[in-house]
């Protein structure tokens, strides 16, 4: 899943949401709404569970598998790494850091479950931001990039509460995205909907998906 390319007819659409935190009632409502629109794929941006328990993750992932009418991909959030699922989420959801190309668009999905990326994830981000083909050498280089993760590099209210733990790391990541011409950064940890524009980078805090 880290090196994939999918050909879709233009225009295509996709859905992004997160922060369900085990609320299966709201998840069902979101799935019904997404299915009604009929995007080509969906990305879940973290906090599928409330307590990070393996059985909880299994049940919620099974719900997504059985009810969504399109392929879906997921990364994890801070709630997801708080319990027993921490060492086994990859067997349930797949890699939590990955990128794929859809036509001219590169979708980069990052694991910020520890409220940061860490050195290894930042190295992958550097590689993916270059834009070189993921699927095969010599292919077309993607022109557009979006980044999806759970925790925003900074809290839009100006406090530490809902951003990366380390403000220096948050600033470093934002600088990389701006230098690389990323068009959108989509997060879900804020639990409310908001939009900000930072020097052409559109930041979308995608709203709560059922979390308290």
């Amino acid at each position: 899943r880290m090196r994939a390319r999918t050909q879709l007819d233009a225009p295509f659409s996709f859905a992004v949401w997160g922060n369900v935190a085990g609320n299966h009632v709201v998840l069902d409502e979101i799935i019904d709404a997404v299915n009604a629109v009929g995007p080509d794929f969906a990305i879940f941006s973290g906090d599928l569970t409330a307590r990070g328990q393996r059985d909880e993750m299994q049940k919620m992932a099974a719900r997504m598998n059985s009810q969504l009418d399109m392929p879906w991909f997921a990364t994890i959030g801070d709630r997801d790494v708080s319990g027993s699922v921490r060492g086994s989420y990859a067997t349930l959801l797949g890699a939590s850091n990955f990128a794929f190309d859809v036509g001219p668009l590169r979708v980069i999905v990052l694991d910020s479950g520890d409220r940061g990326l860490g050195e290894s994830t930042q190295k992958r981000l550097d590689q993916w931001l270059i834009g070189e083909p993921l699927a095969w050498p010599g292919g077309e280089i993607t022109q557009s990039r979006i980044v999806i993760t759970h925790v925003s590099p900074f809290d839009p209210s100006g406090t530490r509460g809902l951003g990366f733990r380390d403000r220096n790391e948050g600033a470093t990541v934002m600088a990389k995205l701006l230098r690389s011409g990323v068009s959108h950064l989509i997060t879900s940890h804020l639990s409310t909907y908001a939009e900000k524009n930072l020097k052409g980078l559109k930041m979308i805090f995608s709203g709560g998906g059922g979390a308290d």
Side-chain angles (χ1 to χ4, degrees):
R1 193 168 67 174
M2 290 170 54
R3 299 179 64 82
R5 186 175 185 89
T6 301
Q7 298 294 343
L8 293 175
D9 294 333
F12 61 87
S13 63
F14 59 94
V16 181
W17 78 97
N19 229 26
V20 167
N23 191 330
H24 61 84
V25 175
V26 176
L27 177 62
D28 290 349
E29 293 176 354
I30 293 173
I31 288 175
D32 287 345
V34 170
N35 284 341
V37 175
D40 294 285
F41 60 92
I43 297 176
F44 189 86
S45 56
D47 275 5
L48 191 57
T49 68
R51 298 172 291 106
Q53 299 301 310
R54 181 177 174 82
D55 62 338
E56 186 184 17
M57 179 72 79
Q58 286 176 317
K59 291 176 182 177
M60 296 298 282
R63 217 174 189 94
M64 298 273 281
N65 284 333
S66 64
Q67 296 182 30
L68 268 176
D69 294 338
M70 76 266 337
W72 65 280
F73 309 88
T75 188
I76 55 177
D78 56 309
R79 295 176 191 252
D80 297 325
V81 298
S82 62
S84 61
V85 79
R86 185 181 181 97
S88 58
Y89 62 80
T91 62
L92 301 173
L93 298 180
S96 56
N97 292 298
F98 55 96
F100 58 92
D101 292 343
V102 188
L105 175 67
R106 173 154 300 176
V107 180
I108 300 171
V109 184
L110 303 174
D111 176 352
S112 55
D114 291 317
R115 290 187 55 194
L117 299 183
E119 185 177 352
S120 61
T121 298
Q122 287 210 46
K123 286 181 179 178
R124 287 182 180 176
L125 174 61
D126 291 341
Q127 295 171 344
W128 292 332
L129 286 175
I130 293 172
E132 292 182 353
L134 294 175
W136 54 79
E140 295 182 1
I141 296 178
T142 55
Q143 301 299 312
S144 302
R145 299 160 187 74
I146 65 169
V147 173
I148 299 169
T149 191
H150 182 64
V151 179
S152 172
F154 66 88
D155 186 327
S157 67
T159 66
R160 292 181 184 274
L162 296 173
F164 281 10
R165 295 182 189 277
D166 186 332
R167 287 190 175 186
N168 289 330
E169 182 186 14
T172 298
V173 170
M174 290 303 300
K176 288 179 180 182
L177 302 188
L178 288 168
R179 285 197 306 267
S180 302
V182 171
S183 63
H184 291 75
L185 170 63
I186 306 174
T187 67
S188 59
H189 184 57
L190 185 60
S191 293
T192 190
Y193 187 86
E195 295 183 12
K196 287 185 176 292
N197 193 297
L198 181 62
K199 297 181 179 180
L201 170 60
K202 188 171 185 179
M203 301 184 66
I204 299 176
F205 306 88
S206 67
D212 295 333

Coordinates of all heavy atoms in Angstrom, one line a residue, residues 106-183:
R106 N -1.1 13.2 -5.5 CA -0.4 12.3 -4.5 C -1.1 12.5 -3.2 O -1.2 13.6 -2.7 CB 1.1 12.6 -4.4 CG 1.7 11.8 -3.3 CD 3.2 11.6 -3.5 NE 3.4 10.8 -4.7 CZ 4.6 10.5 -5.2 NH1 5.7 11.0 -4.5 NH2 4.8 9.8 -6.3
V107 N -1.6 11.4 -2.6 CA -2.2 11.4 -1.3 C -1.3 10.8 -0.3 O -0.8 9.7 -0.4 CB -3.5 10.6 -1.3 CG1 -4.2 10.6 0.1 CG2 -4.5 11.1 -2.4
I108 N -0.9 11.6 0.7 CA 0.1 11.2 1.7 C -0.6 11.1 3.0 O -1.2 12.1 3.5 CB 1.3 12.2 1.8 CG1 2.0 12.3 0.4 CG2 2.2 11.8 2.9 CD1 3.0 13.5 0.4
V109 N -0.6 10.0 3.6 CA -1.3 9.8 4.9 C -0.3 9.4 6.0 O 0.5 8.5 5.8 CB -2.4 8.6 4.7 CG1 -3.2 8.5 6.0 CG2 -3.3 8.9 3.6
L110 N -0.3 10.2 7.1 CA 0.7 10.1 8.1 C 0.2 9.7 9.4 O -0.9 10.2 9.8 CB 1.5 11.4 8.2 CG 2.1 11.9 6.9 CD1 2.7 13.3 7.1 CD2 3.2 11.0 6.4
D111 N 0.9 8.9 10.2 CA 0.6 8.5 11.5 C 1.1 9.5 12.5 O 2.3 9.7 12.7 CB 1.3 7.1 11.8 CG 1.1 6.6 13.2 OD1 0.6 7.3 14.0 OD2 1.5 5.4 13.4
S112 N 0.2 10.2 13.1 CA 0.5 11.2 14.2 C -0.1 10.8 15.5 O -0.5 11.7 16.3 CB 0.1 12.6 13.8 OG -1.3 12.7 13.5
G113 N -0.3 9.5 15.7 CA -1.0 9.0 16.9 C -0.3 9.4 18.2 O -0.9 9.5 19.2
D114 N 1.0 9.6 18.1 CA 1.8 10.0 19.3 C 1.9 11.5 19.4 O 2.8 12.1 20.1 CB 3.2 9.4 19.3 CG 3.1 7.9 19.5 OD1 2.4 7.4 20.4 OD2 3.9 7.1 18.8
R115 N 1.0 12.2 18.7 CA 1.0 13.7 18.6 C 2.3 14.2 18.1 O 2.9 15.2 18.6 CB 0.6 14.3 19.9 CG -0.9 14.0 20.3 CD -1.3 14.7 21.6 NE -1.0 16.2 21.5 CZ -1.1 17.0 22.5 NH1 -1.3 16.5 23.7 NH2 -0.8 18.2 22.4
G116 N 2.8 13.6 17.1 CA 4.0 14.0 16.4 C 4.3 12.9 15.3 O 3.6 11.9 15.2
L117 N 5.3 13.1 14.5 CA 5.6 12.2 13.4 C 6.8 11.3 13.7 O 6.8 10.1 13.4 CB 5.8 12.9 12.1 CG 4.7 13.7 11.5 CD1 5.0 14.3 10.2 CD2 3.4 12.9 11.4
G118 N 7.8 11.9 14.4 CA 9.0 11.2 14.6 C 9.9 11.2 13.4 O 9.5 11.5 12.3
E119 N 11.2 10.8 13.6 CA 12.2 10.9 12.6 C 12.0 10.0 11.4 O 12.1 10.5 10.3 CB 13.6 10.6 13.2 CG 14.7 10.8 12.3 CD 16.1 10.5 12.9 OE1 16.1 10.3 14.1 OE2 17.1 10.5 12.2
S120 N 11.5 8.8 11.6 CA 11.4 7.9 10.5 C 10.2 8.3 9.6 O 10.3 8.2 8.4 CB 11.1 6.4 11.0 OG 10.0 6.4 11.8
T121 N 9.1 8.7 10.2 CA 8.0 9.2 9.4 C 8.3 10.5 8.6 O 7.9 10.6 7.5 CB 6.8 9.4 10.3 OG1 6.4 8.2 10.9 CG2 5.6 9.9 9.5
Q122 N 9.1 11.3 9.3 CA 9.5 12.6 8.5 C 10.4 12.2 7.3 O 10.3 12.9 6.3 CB 10.2 13.5 9.5 CG 9.3 14.2 10.5 CD 9.8 15.6 10.9 OE1 10.2 16.4 10.0 NE2 9.7 15.9 12.2
K123 N 11.2 11.2 7.5 CA 12.1 10.8 6.3 C 11.2 10.3 5.2 O 11.4 10.6 4.0 CB 13.1 9.7 6.8 CG 14.2 10.3 7.6 CD 15.2 9.1 8.0 CE 16.3 9.7 8.8 NZ 17.3 8.6 9.2
R124 N 10.1 9.5 5.5 CA 9.2 9.0 4.5 C 8.5 10.2 3.8 O 8.3 10.3 2.6 CB 8.2 8.1 5.1 CG 8.8 6.7 5.4 CD 7.7 5.8 6.0 NE 8.2 4.5 6.3 CZ 7.5 3.6 6.9 NH1 6.2 3.8 7.2 NH2 8.0 2.4 7.2
L125 N 8.1 11.2 4.7 CA 7.4 12.4 4.2 C 8.3 13.1 3.2 O 7.9 13.5 2.1 CB 7.0 13.3 5.3 CG 6.4 14.6 4.9 CD1 5.1 14.5 4.2 CD2 6.2 15.5 6.2
D126 N 9.6 13.2 3.5 CA 10.5 13.9 2.6 C 10.5 13.2 1.2 O 10.5 13.9 0.2 CB 11.9 13.9 3.2 CG 12.1 14.8 4.4 OD1 11.2 15.7 4.6 OD2 13.0 14.6 5.2
Q127 N 10.6 11.9 1.3 CA 10.6 11.1 0.0 C 9.3 11.3 -0.8 O 9.4 11.5 -2.0 CB 10.9 9.7 0.3 CG 12.2 9.4 0.9 CD 12.4 7.9 1.4 OE1 11.4 7.2 1.5 NE2 13.6 7.5 1.7
W128 N 8.2 11.2 -0.1 CA 6.9 11.3 -0.8 C 6.7 12.7 -1.4 O 6.0 12.9 -2.4 CB 5.8 10.9 0.1 CG 5.9 9.4 0.4 CD1 6.4 8.4 -0.3 CD2 5.4 8.8 1.6 NE1 6.3 7.2 0.3 CE2 5.7 7.4 1.5 CE3 4.8 9.2 2.8 CZ2 5.3 6.5 2.5 CZ3 4.4 8.3 3.8 CH2 4.7 6.9 3.6
L129 N 7.2 13.7 -0.7 CA 7.0 15.1 -1.1 C 7.7 15.4 -2.4 O 7.3 16.3 -3.1 CB 7.4 16.1 0.0 CG 6.4 16.2 1.2 CD1 7.0 17.1 2.2 CD2 5.0 16.7 0.7
I130 N 8.8 14.7 -2.7 CA 9.6 15.0 -3.9 C 8.7 14.8 -5.1 O 8.9 15.5 -6.1 CB 10.8 14.0 -3.9 CG1 11.8 14.3 -2.8 CG2 11.5 14.1 -5.3 CD1 12.9 13.3 -2.7
G131 N 7.8 13.8 -5.1 CA 6.9 13.6 -6.2 C 7.3 12.6 -7.2 O 6.7 12.4 -8.2
E132 N 8.4 11.9 -6.9 CA 8.9 10.8 -7.8 C 7.8 9.7 -7.8 O 7.2 9.5 -6.8 CB 10.2 10.3 -7.4 CG 11.4 11.3 -7.6 CD 12.7 10.8 -7.2 OE1 12.7 9.6 -6.6 OE2 13.7 11.5 -7.4
P133 N 7.7 9.0 -8.9 CA 6.7 8.0 -9.1 C 6.8 6.9 -8.0 O 7.9 6.5 -7.6 CB 7.0 7.4 -10.4 CG 7.7 8.4 -11.2 CD 8.5 9.2 -10.2
L134 N 5.7 6.5 -7.4 CA 5.6 5.5 -6.4 C 5.6 4.1 -7.0 O 6.1 3.2 -6.5 CB 4.4 5.7 -5.5 CG 4.4 7.0 -4.6 CD1 3.1 7.0 -3.9 CD2 5.5 7.0 -3.6
A135 N 4.8 4.0 -8.1 CA 4.5 2.7 -8.5 C 5.5 2.0 -9.4 O 5.8 0.8 -9.3 CB 3.2 2.7 -9.3
W136 N 6.2 2.8 -10.2 CA 7.2 2.2 -11.1 C 8.2 3.3 -11.6 O 7.7 4.5 -11.7 CB 6.5 1.6 -12.3 CG 5.6 2.5 -13.1 CD1 6.0 3.5 -14.0 CD2 4.2 2.5 -13.0 NE1 4.9 4.1 -14.5 CE2 3.8 3.6 -13.9 CE3 3.3 1.8 -12.3 CZ2 2.4 3.9 -14.0 CZ3 1.9 2.1 -12.4 CH2 1.5 3.1 -13.3
P137 N 9.4 3.0 -11.8 CA 10.4 4.0 -12.3 C 10.0 4.5 -13.6 O 9.5 3.8 -14.5 CB 11.7 3.2 -12.3 CG 11.5 2.0 -11.5 CD 10.0 1.7 -11.6
G138 N 10.2 5.8 -13.8 CA 10.0 6.4 -15.2 C 8.6 6.8 -15.4 O 8.3 7.3 -16.5
G139 N 7.7 6.7 -14.5 CA 6.3 7.1 -14.6 C 6.2 8.6 -14.5 O 7.2 9.3 -14.3
E140 N 5.0 9.1 -14.7 CA 4.8 10.5 -14.6 C 4.9 11.0 -13.2 O 4.5 10.3 -12.2 CB 3.3 10.8 -15.1 CG 3.2 10.6 -16.6 CD 1.8 10.9 -17.1 OE1 1.0 11.4 -16.2 OE2 1.5 10.7 -18.3
I141 N 5.5 12.2 -13.0 CA 5.6 12.7 -11.7 C 4.4 13.5 -11.3 O 3.8 14.2 -12.1 CB 6.9 13.7 -11.6 CG1 8.1 12.9 -11.9 CG2 6.9 14.4 -10.3 CD1 9.4 13.7 -11.9
T142 N 3.9 13.2 -10.1 CA 2.6 13.9 -9.7 C 2.8 15.4 -9.5 O 3.9 15.8 -9.1 CB 2.2 13.3 -8.4 OG1 3.2 13.4 -7.4 CG2 1.8 11.8 -8.5
Q143 N 1.8 16.1 -9.8 CA 1.8 17.6 -9.8 C 1.2 18.2 -8.5 O 1.6 19.2 -8.1 CB 1.1 18.2 -11.0 CG 1.7 17.7 -12.3 CD 3.1 18.1 -12.5 OE1 3.5 19.3 -12.3 NE2 4.0 17.2 -12.9
S144 N 0.3 17.4 -7.9 CA -0.4 18.0 -6.8 C -0.2 17.0 -5.6 O -0.1 15.8 -5.8 CB -1.9 18.1 -7.1 OG -2.1 19.0 -8.2
R145 N -0.2 17.6 -4.4 CA 0.0 16.8 -3.2 C -1.0 17.2 -2.1 O -1.1 18.4 -1.9 CB 1.4 16.9 -2.7 CG 2.4 16.4 -3.7 CD 3.8 16.9 -3.3 NE 4.8 16.6 -4.3 CZ 4.9 17.2 -5.5 NH1 4.0 18.1 -5.9 NH2 5.8 16.8 -6.4
I146 N -1.6 16.3 -1.4 CA -2.3 16.6 -0.2 C -1.8 15.7 0.9 O -1.3 14.6 0.7 CB -3.8 16.4 -0.3 CG1 -4.2 14.9 -0.6 CG2 -4.4 17.3 -1.4 CD1 -5.7 14.7 -0.5
V147 N -1.9 16.2 2.2 CA -1.4 15.4 3.3 C -2.6 15.2 4.3 O -3.3 16.2 4.6 CB -0.3 16.1 4.0 CG1 0.1 15.4 5.4 CG2 1.0 16.1 3.1
I148 N -2.8 14.0 4.8 CA -3.9 13.7 5.7 C -3.3 13.0 6.9 O -2.5 12.1 6.8 CB -4.9 12.8 5.0 CG1 -5.6 13.4 3.8 CG2 -6.0 12.4 6.0 CD1 -6.4 12.5 3.0
T149 N -3.6 13.5 8.1 CA -3.1 13.0 9.3 C -4.1 13.3 10.4 O -5.1 14.0 10.2 CB -1.7 13.5 9.7 OG1 -1.2 12.7 10.7 CG2 -1.7 15.0 10.0
H150 N -3.9 12.7 11.6 CA -4.9 12.9 12.7 C -4.7 14.2 13.4 O -5.6 15.1 13.5 CB -4.9 11.7 13.7 CG -5.9 11.8 14.8 ND1 -7.2 11.8 14.5 CD2 -5.7 12.0 16.1 CE1 -7.9 11.9 15.7 NE2 -7.0 12.1 16.7
V151 N -3.5 14.4 13.9 CA -3.2 15.6 14.8 C -2.5 16.6 13.9 O -1.6 16.4 13.1 CB -2.2 15.2 15.9 CG1 -1.9 16.5 16.8 CG2 -2.9 14.1 16.8
S152 N -3.0 17.9 14.0 CA -2.4 19.0 13.2 C -1.1 19.3 13.8 O -0.9 19.2 15.0 CB -3.4 20.2 13.3 OG -2.7 21.3 12.8
P153 N -0.1 19.8 13.0 CA 1.2 20.2 13.6 C 1.0 21.3 14.6 O 1.9 21.5 15.5 CB 1.9 20.7 12.3 CG 1.4 19.9 11.2 CD -0.1 19.7 11.5
F154 N 0.0 22.1 14.5 CA -0.2 23.1 15.5 C -1.7 23.3 15.8 O -2.6 22.9 15.0 CB 0.4 24.5 15.1 CG -0.3 25.1 13.9 CD1 -1.4 25.9 14.1 CD2 0.2 24.9 12.7 CE1 -2.0 26.5 13.0 CE2 -0.5 25.5 11.6 CZ -1.6 26.3 11.8
D155 N -2.0 23.7 17.0 CA -3.4 24.0 17.5 C -3.8 25.3 16.9 O -3.2 26.4 17.1 CB -3.4 24.0 19.0 CG -4.8 24.1 19.5 OD1 -5.7 24.7 18.9 OD2 -5.1 23.5 20.6
P156 N -4.9 25.4 16.1 CA -5.3 26.6 15.5 C -5.7 27.7 16.5 O -5.8 28.9 16.2 CB -6.5 26.2 14.6 CG -7.0 25.0 15.3 CD -5.8 24.3 15.8
S157 N -6.0 27.3 17.8 CA -6.3 28.3 18.8 C -5.1 29.0 19.4 O -5.2 29.9 20.1 CB -7.1 27.6 19.9 OG -6.3 26.7 20.6
G158 N -3.9 28.4 19.0 CA -2.7 29.0 19.5 C -2.1 28.4 20.8 O -1.1 28.9 21.3
T159 N -2.8 27.4 21.3 CA -2.3 26.7 22.5 C -1.6 25.4 22.1 O -1.6 25.0 20.9 CB -3.5 26.5 23.5 OG1 -4.4 25.5 22.8 CG2 -4.2 27.8 23.7
R160 N -1.2 24.7 23.1 CA -0.5 23.4 22.8 C -1.5 22.2 22.8 O -1.2 21.2 22.3 CB 0.5 23.1 23.9 CG 1.7 24.0 24.0 CD 2.6 23.5 25.1 NE 3.8 24.4 25.3 CZ 4.9 24.3 24.6 NH1 5.0 23.3 23.7 NH2 5.9 25.1 24.8
G161 N -2.7 22.4 23.2 CA -3.6 21.3 23.5 C -3.9 20.4 22.4 O -4.0 19.2 22.7
L162 N -4.1 20.8 21.2 CA -4.6 19.9 20.1 C -3.6 19.9 18.9 O -4.0 19.5 17.9 CB -6.0 20.4 19.7 CG -7.1 20.3 20.7 CD1 -8.3 20.9 20.2 CD2 -7.3 18.8 21.1
G163 N -2.4 20.2 19.2 CA -1.4 20.1 18.1 C -0.3 19.1 18.5 O -0.4 18.4 19.4
F164 N 0.8 19.1 17.7 CA 2.0 18.3 18.1 C 2.5 18.6 19.5 O 2.4 19.8 19.9 CB 3.1 18.5 17.1 CG 2.9 17.8 15.8 CD1 1.7 17.1 15.4 CD2 4.0 17.7 14.8 CE1 1.6 16.5 14.2 CE2 3.8 17.0 13.6 CZ 2.6 16.4 13.3
R165 N 3.0 17.6 20.2 CA 3.6 17.9 21.5 C 4.8 18.8 21.4 O 5.0 19.7 22.3 CB 4.1 16.6 22.1 CG 3.0 15.6 22.4 CD 3.5 14.3 23.1 NE 2.5 13.3 23.2 CZ 1.6 13.2 24.2 NH1 1.6 14.1 25.1 NH2 0.7 12.2 24.2
D166 N 5.6 18.7 20.3 CA 6.8 19.5 20.2 C 6.5 20.6 19.1 O 6.3 20.3 17.9 CB 7.9 18.6 19.7 CG 9.2 19.3 19.6 OD1 9.3 20.5 19.4 OD2 10.3 18.6 19.8
R167 N 6.5 21.8 19.5 CA 6.2 22.9 18.6 C 7.3 23.0 17.5 O 7.0 23.4 16.4 CB 6.0 24.2 19.4 CG 4.7 24.3 20.2 CD 4.5 25.7 20.7 NE 3.3 25.8 21.4 CZ 2.8 27.0 21.8 NH1 3.5 28.1 21.7 NH2 1.6 27.0 22.4
N168 N 8.5 22.7 17.9 CA 9.6 22.7 16.9 C 9.3 21.7 15.8 O 9.5 22.0 14.6 CB 10.9 22.5 17.5 CG 11.4 23.7 18.4 OD1 11.0 24.8 18.2 ND2 12.1 23.4 19.5
E169 N 8.9 20.5 16.2 CA 8.6 19.5 15.1 C 7.4 20.0 14.3 O 7.4 19.9 13.0 CB 8.3 18.2 15.8 CG 8.0 17.1 14.7 CD 7.5 15.8 15.3 OE1 7.1 15.7 16.5 OE2 7.5 14.8 14.5
G170 N 6.4 20.6 14.9 CA 5.3 21.1 14.2 C 5.7 22.1 13.2 O 5.2 22.1 12.0
A171 N 6.6 23.1 13.6 CA 7.0 24.1 12.7 C 7.9 23.5 11.5 O 7.7 24.0 10.4 CB 7.9 25.1 13.4
T172 N 8.7 22.5 11.8 CA 9.5 21.8 10.8 C 8.6 21.2 9.7 O 8.8 21.3 8.5 CB 10.4 20.8 11.4 OG1 11.3 21.4 12.3 CG2 11.2 20.0 10.4
V173 N 7.6 20.5 10.2 CA 6.7 19.8 9.3 C 5.9 20.8 8.4 O 5.8 20.7 7.2 CB 5.7 18.9 10.0 CG1 4.6 18.4 9.1 CG2 6.4 17.7 10.7
M174 N 5.4 21.9 9.0 CA 4.7 22.9 8.2 C 5.6 23.5 7.2 O 5.2 23.8 6.0 CB 4.1 24.0 9.2 CG 3.0 23.5 10.0 SD 1.6 22.8 9.1 CE 1.1 24.3 8.1
A175 N 6.9 23.8 7.5 CA 7.8 24.3 6.6 C 8.0 23.4 5.4 O 8.1 23.9 4.2 CB 9.1 24.6 7.3
K176 N 8.1 22.1 5.6 CA 8.3 21.1 4.6 C 7.1 21.2 3.6 O 7.2 21.1 2.4 CB 8.4 19.7 5.1 CG 9.7 19.5 5.8 CD 9.8 18.0 6.4 CE 11.1 17.8 7.1 NZ 11.2 16.4 7.6
L177 N 5.9 21.2 4.2 CA 4.7 21.2 3.4 C 4.6 22.5 2.5 O 4.2 22.4 1.3 CB 3.4 21.1 4.3 CG 3.3 19.9 5.2 CD1 1.9 19.8 5.8 CD2 3.6 18.6 4.5
L178 N 4.9 23.6 3.1 CA 4.9 24.9 2.4 C 5.9 24.9 1.2 O 5.6 25.3 0.1 CB 5.1 26.0 3.3 CG 3.9 26.3 4.3 CD1 4.4 27.3 5.4 CD2 2.8 26.9 3.5
R179 N 7.2 24.4 1.5 CA 8.2 24.4 0.5 C 7.9 23.5 -0.6 O 8.2 23.7 -1.8 CB 9.5 23.9 1.1 CG 10.2 25.0 2.0 CD 11.7 24.6 2.2 NE 11.8 23.3 2.7 CZ 11.9 23.0 4.0 NH1 11.9 23.9 4.9 NH2 12.1 21.7 4.4
S180 N 7.1 22.4 -0.3 CA 6.8 21.4 -1.4 C 5.5 21.7 -2.1 O 5.1 20.9 -3.0 CB 6.7 20.0 -0.7 OG 7.9 19.7 0.0
G181 N 4.9 22.8 -1.8 CA 3.7 23.2 -2.5 C 2.5 22.3 -2.2 O 1.6 22.1 -3.1
V182 N 2.4 21.7 -1.1 CA 1.2 20.9 -0.7 C 0.0 21.8 -0.7 O 0.0 22.9 -0.2 CB 1.4 20.2 0.7 CG1 0.1 19.6 1.2 CG2 2.5 19.2 0.6
S183 N -1.1 21.3 -1.3 CA -2.2 22.2 -1.4 C -3.2 22.1 -0.2 O -3.8 23.1 0.1 CB -3.0 21.8 -2.7 OG -3.5 20.5 -2.6

